[in-house]
Amino acid sequence: MSRYLLRRTIGALVVMWAVATLVFFMLRIVPGDPVGAMLFDAGDAEAVEALRRKLGLDQPIWVQYGKWFWAVLQGDLGNSIYGSRVPVSQLVMEALPRTLSLAGLAFLLAILIAVPAGLIAATKRNSAADHAVTLFAFLGLSMPDFWVGILLIIVFAANLQWLPAIGYVPLSEGFWPWLSHLLLPAVAVGTAFSAIIARMIRSAMLEVLRTDYVRVARAKGLPRAVVIFRHAFPNALVPVVTVIGIAFALLMAGAVVVENVFAIKGLGRVLIQGILNRDYPVVQGAILVVSAIFVFSNLLVDLLYAVIDPRIRYA
Amino acid sequence: MGSLLEIDGLEVTFATESGVVPAVSGVSLAIDRGEMVALVGESGSGKSVTALAVLRLLPEPPARVAAGRILFDGIDLLRLDEEAMRRLRGRRIGMVFQEPMTSLNPLLSIGRQLTEAMVEHLGLGPGEAARRAVALLKAVGIPDPKGRLRQYPHQLSGGMRQRVMIAIALSCEPDLVIADEPTTALDVTIQAQILEVMQGLCARLGVALLLITHNLAIVARYAHRVNVMYAGRLVESGEAVALYRRPAHPYTVGLLESVPRLDRPRGAPLEPIPGNPPDPAALPAGCAFRPRCRLARPHCGERVPGPVEVEPGHRSACFEYRRLLAETPA
Ligand SMILES: Nc1ncnc2c1ncn2[C@@H]1O[C@H](COP(=O)(O)OP(=O)(O)OP(=O)(O)O)[C@@H](O)[C@H]1O
Ligand SMILES: [Mg+2]
């Protein structure tokens, strides 16, 4: 168990390092000089040179890399190269709770819908409920999340006026204000994810229900609920958990897009602003943090695996 | 006084793409309390379907019990409501399946899987159930039974897992255990050990045993009575000794010649039955064994032969059994 987790943790750290390195070098390879973007008159060679020196861009690239990496290790993501040169870590820390709230709520809603839906569809195969789940999954997968978001705004915010259309209110200002602002974007982000998970649970359950050990559980005379929830469902979860890890990345990506529809100033906003401005410390920082969340959630999935499956726990 | 289990005229069909296929046709057999009965036949002859029909665990659909009656201790199982049937499964009829490698839930501990039927049916608390589980594991010959309770299936060999399955089947002290090819998936060297353990325990506890196998050599040592199935039908049944000494169906003769036997000279040639069992979707007219039978006559293709008593308690479904018996002097 501990060896397994140690291996996974080291793996996660290596991935993080690789992502950081990749981000650093990629931003330096793509065309578009931040100095050029910052100066109105890129023809003024002296001003360009001065600014480059100030930003450290005159040093050899591996020196830049070393310095940058050392700073990142200490939590210093650099400063925005614009305006008051706000520290990137501050920008990110402001935006992160919003994106995490959105992705987290989307995740929770999606699971809350997908698990019962998948279970019902599998245990009542070919029933009306099963067909309804299939239809829901099909629709959920075919609609882009920003489009779902716009639809939700039109129906629930503009027409019915049940929920606010845009903005974000921190949790510290009350649960309902926080939730009411996040509900629509969370549904928009979570719909496709929910559809994927519901279908996965359905097919995994159908497979598990055909296994020998489920037949043995029935031959023991266990009540149906015990057969399904003790014997079948945990086994069906094993393949689903893997996909949840991958799909969480999808969720983060979705949150980044949907944030813009709902005017939530989350990581997506920061990232897009950074890209438009060629503000590479901001872009680096934002990508790094998103990757860290992704890697960390995958680590959590590995942990969850070990909790569910003794074959991994005792490997 | 009726038998413990009485299967009467059982017919099971499967709905498939090529139409409704008969898997079991008109099978009747009985098992008395504490008796060991064998059900023998090649792959696909309908042995498992018969066993699953008793526990009402057939996948319905596509399976359908089209006719017949199954009486267990006087209870008409096919008419029992599902809840009553559930309370009977595991409690009064235990089952051991063919595949020990896949019959245990990989995510649950051995202890959990062994105690859950006792907790469910006998209302035992976890402590008492664990104590009995240890005793059961000891009885089926598993070393360090206490330590095993905390282990998981992947930590056990196939033979050990099958011992656990036997312990599970016996855990609620049922009246009947159905063992569906319990050793087919195992190493030849441990097959005998497992059968020995199972037979010994059933005898000691007075549990009746329906032993399903395709290996007629096994049957001689463990069964009082033998039922031979071919293509979904019972072709011969009788006391093990009588059936061995004077098989009255050419299929049984074929089975006997295709397995090594202790009562024949070592090195005597083994002769597999020529040909293959028929496709249940396209059974030949008349006797299903006719295409492979050396005694076949034209009339064998006209009707399906019914069971005939060739001597007391010994039945054969063959029109030509007299010619067969003539070859083996009584
Ligand atoms: N799920 C199914 N779908 C369709 N037909 C089936 C199904 N299960 C069994 N059958 C039919 O029932 C027949 C008997 O199957 P059964 O499993 O009882 O054979 P068996 O005697 O137990 O063979 P084996 O020695 O291989 O276990 C098969 O030939 C097949 O035609
Ligand atoms: Mg079988």
Side-chain angles (χ1 to χ4, degrees):
Chain A
M1 172 89 167
S2 50
R3 257 188 51 205
Y4 166 78
L5 283 182
L6 189 69
R7 251 193 351 253
R8 290 297 146 136
T9 310
I10 291 173
L13 290 176
V14 170
V15 170
M16 271 317 297
W17 168 76
V19 169
T21 306
L22 205 66
V23 167
F24 178 88
F25 284 102
M26 244 160 61
L27 280 178
R28 273 154 186 80
I29 289 166
V30 293
D33 185 357
V35 175
M38 282 167 80
L39 294 174
F40 289 113
D41 180 11
D44 184 348
E46 217 162 287
V48 169
E49 207 38 54
L51 191 57
R52 286 181 71 88
R53 231 189 333 270
K54 193 173 156 211
L55 296 175
L57 294 177
D58 57 336
Q59 288 165 331
I61 195 155
W62 54 269
V63 173
Q64 292 182 42
Y65 171 69
K67 280 188 171 169
W68 175 78
F69 196 77
W70 181 242
V72 165
L73 280 183
Q74 291 163 321
D76 175 8
L77 298 174
N79 296 325
S80 164
I81 57 180
Y82 286 100
S84 50
R85 310 202 59 206
V86 195
V88 173
S89 53
Q90 188 189 323
L91 279 178
V92 167
M93 285 325 275
E94 269 170 29
L96 191 59
R98 304 170 181 193
T99 303
L100 277 186
S101 293
L102 177 52
L105 187 66
F107 182 78
L108 196 72
L109 286 178
I111 295 290
L112 281 180
I113 293 170
V115 169
L119 274 177
I120 291 171
T123 51
K124 303 212 184 321
R125 199 179 176 183
N126 291 328
S127 66
D130 183 15
H131 295 312
V133 169
T134 305
L135 184 69
F136 154 77
F138 180 71
L139 288 177
L141 276 174
S142 12
M143 296 189 295
D145 42 18
F146 65 87
W147 190 69
V148 175
I150 293 168
L151 266 188
L152 289 172
I153 289 180
I154 293 173
V155 175
F156 293 100
N159 284 343
L160 296 171
Q161 306 210 333
W162 287 352
L163 293 163
I166 56 167
Y168 174 82
V169 174
L171 190 53
S172 55
E173 284 172 36
F175 181 70
W176 176 245
W178 172 79
L179 186 66
S180 63
H181 281 85
L182 278 180
L183 216 45
L184 295 184
V187 170
V189 173
T191 301
F193 178 62
S194 181
I196 293 173
I197 298 299
R199 284 180 54 154
M200 285 238 27
I201 288 184
R202 178 182 182 272
S203 65
M205 272 301 280
L206 283 177
E207 198 155 301
V208 169
L209 287 173
R210 276 196 299 265
T211 59
D212 288 346
Y213 55 82
V214 164
R215 195 171 57 181
V216 169
R218 294 178 64 212
K220 282 177 183 171
L222 300 175
R224 191 173 154 77
V226 173
V227 173
I228 288 176
F229 288 106
R230 186 188 298 163
H231 285 270
F233 185 54
N235 278 286
L237 269 187
V238 173
V240 175
V241 162
T242 319
V243 172
I244 286 180
I246 299 164
F248 195 76
L250 205 86
L251 218 62
M252 289 294 294
V256 162
V257 173
V258 170
E259 271 171 9
N260 287 288
V261 176
F262 287 87
I264 295 171
K265 296 201 181 82
L267 273 181
R269 270 289 175 101
V270 171
L271 187 61
I272 288 170
Q273 213 68 66
I275 291 171
L276 292 177
N277 292 339
R278 300 233 160 76
D279 194 345
Y280 65 88
V282 170
V283 176
Q284 274 170 3
I287 293 183
L288 216 53
V289 169
V290 172
S291 314
I293 293 171
F294 180 50
V295 170
F296 181 69
S297 60
N298 268 298
L299 198 60
L300 273 185
V301 163
D302 286 338
L303 180 75
L304 198 60
Y305 246 152
V307 170
I308 296 178
D309 196 335
R311 285 165 295 190
I312 288 172
R313 209 151 61 229
Y314 292 96
Chain B
M1 161 69 208
S3 307
L4 175 65
L5 179 73
E6 235 179 289
I7 301 176
D8 191 19
L10 181 67
E11 294 212 28
V12 181
T13 59
F14 278 88
T16 67
E17 280 142 33
S18 45
V20 176
V21 168
V24 169
S25 310
V27 164
S28 303
L29 61 89
I31 302 173
D32 287 336
R33 285 192 174 276
E35 194 185 22
M36 316 263 158
V37 172
L39 187 57
V40 188
E42 277 169 301
S43 191
S45 55
K47 308 181 297 290
S48 297
V49 169
T50 305
L52 290 174
V54 173
L55 277 171
R56 290 224 328 240
L57 287 178
L58 284 169
E60 296 178 71
R64 192 172 82 87
V65 176
R69 205 167 59 146
I70 302 176
L71 286 182
F72 176 78
D73 200 15
I75 308 164
D76 191 341
L77 293 187
L78 295 181
R79 286 164 191 258
L80 213 52
D81 68 83
E82 177 52 33
E83 177 59 17
M85 188 66 217
R86 175 183 76 72
R87 272 175 300 182
L88 207 128
R89 288 186 199 118
R91 172 69 193 86
R92 301 200 61 195
I93 307 178
M95 177 128 188
V96 179
F97 292 93
Q98 176 170 351
E99 286 294 338
M101 299 315 278
T102 53
S103 285
L104 285 164
N105 188 326
L107 305 188
L108 297 177
S109 70
I110 301 297
R112 183 69 177 269
Q113 299 190 60
L114 180 48
T115 52
E116 62 182 350
M118 293 189 278
V119 171
E120 171 65 32
H121 295 301
L122 310 179
L124 300 186
E128 177 61 15
R131 251 192 307 283
R132 284 186 60 166
V134 169
L136 279 161
L137 288 183
K138 199 179 280 172
V140 293
I142 290 185
D144 180 25
K146 257 213 183 78
R148 296 289 179 181
L149 291 188
R150 271 176 281 109
Q151 290 195 319
Y152 286 86
H154 72 277
Q155 295 168 301
L156 272 62
S157 69
M160 284 297 150
R161 292 188 205 190
Q162 199 60 307
R163 287 174 200 261
V164 171
M165 293 309 298
I166 293 168
I168 290 174
L170 288 168
S171 63
C172 295
E173 298 182 351
D175 302 292
L176 171 68
V177 166
I178 301 177
D180 189 357
E181 311 209 29
T183 61
T184 306
L186 297 176
D187 237 48
V188 186
T189 48
I190 42 179
Q191 288 191 2
Q193 295 171 18
I194 299 283
L195 286 169
E196 208 69 47
V197 161
M198 192 165 63
Q199 190 245 13
L201 273 177
C202 287
R204 208 172 80 208
L205 300 170
V207 177
L209 177 66
L210 178 59
L211 178 62
I212 297 176
T213 172
H214 60 243
N215 186 346
L216 205 48
I218 287 178
V219 166
R221 292 182 55 175
Y222 301 102
H224 306 137
R225 279 190 295 134
V226 179
N227 297 279
V228 182
M229 275 186 93
Y230 186 78
R233 291 179 187 276
L234 229 47
V235 292
E236 183 167 5
S237 63
E239 305 240 325
V241 182
L243 192 128
Y244 265 77
R245 198 171 340 102
R246 291 190 87 196
H249 195 285
Y251 177 61
T252 314
V253 174
L255 280 182
L256 286 171
E257 281 169 357
S258 63
V259 294
R261 288 170 64 183
L262 294 176
D263 58 349
R264 283 202 299 175
R266 258 213 244 173
L270 297 181
E271 288 171 38
I273 307 170
N276 289 307
D279 174 4
L283 289 178
C287 175
F289 188 59
R290 180 176 50 94
R292 301 169 77 185
C293 182
R294 64 186 166 88
L295 300 178
R297 293 269 170 89
H299 70 125
C300 293
E302 285 162 15
R303 278 185 306 117
V304 177
V308 181
E309 193 146 60
V310 299
E311 57 191 353
H314 186 175
R315 291 163 187 277
S316 163
C318 175
F319 293 129
E320 299 294 323
Y321 75 91
R322 283 195 189 80
R323 280 165 59 206
L324 200 60
L325 290 184
E327 294 172 6
T328 42

